[in-house]
Amino acid sequence: IVERDGEIVWNEGCLSFPDVHEEIERAARIRVRAQDREGKWFELEAEELLAVAIQHEYEHLEGVLMIDHMGPLKKRIVHRKLQKRAEEHASA
């Protein structure tokens, strides 16, 4: 990500945490520099949902998860919710 502009708050979810959502503040517009399949560099400008999705996925590359944006109490609630879900699936 080479440029960020503005702010947007988006209610995000993640396949890693089913049924968990969090409002996360991100840049409303971004410009990224990346390589295509042949290794050729290009730049892409994105706004709103695409900008949010790119920033979300970029954070995964950096080792940051959606839950890292949550406070300690909400993290505990999510942990319990996911634990309960896993136990229900294990007993089914």
Side-chain angles (χ1 to χ4, degrees):
I1 298 175
V2 296
E3 189 175 308
R4 298 171 192 259
D5 187 40
E7 293 178 1
I8 190 169
V9 175
W10 206 273
N11 189 14
E12 295 185 35
C14 183
L15 293 174
S16 300
F17 303 97
D19 302 320
V20 175
H21 297 87
E22 178 72 5
E23 289 194 351
I24 299 174
E25 184 178 305
R26 301 204 183 266
R29 289 174 299 286
I30 60 170
R31 184 166 22 141
V32 297
R33 183 166 164 77
Q35 290 179 290
D36 64 18
R37 293 180 195 186
E38 288 79 40
K40 184 178 173 186
W41 288 96
F42 68 95
E43 289 194 3
L44 171 76
E45 292 186 16
E47 297 181 355
E48 297 187 0
L49 179 56
L50 181 56
V52 167
I54 290 171
Q55 291 170 88
H56 177 107
E57 296 305 325
Y58 182 77
E59 283 190 347
H60 280 299
L61 297 174
E62 296 289 308
V64 177
L65 301 175
M66 184 186 81
I67 61 168
D68 294 327
H69 290 275
M70 297 177 181
L73 177 59
K74 183 125 186 209
K75 280 184 189 178
R76 281 195 299 264
I77 292 168
V78 167
H79 178 74
R80 287 185 188 134
K81 182 178 183 179
L82 294 175
Q83 237 178 353
K84 182 178 178 184
R85 182 182 176 138
E87 290 168 1
E88 289 170 355
H89 281 104
S91 65

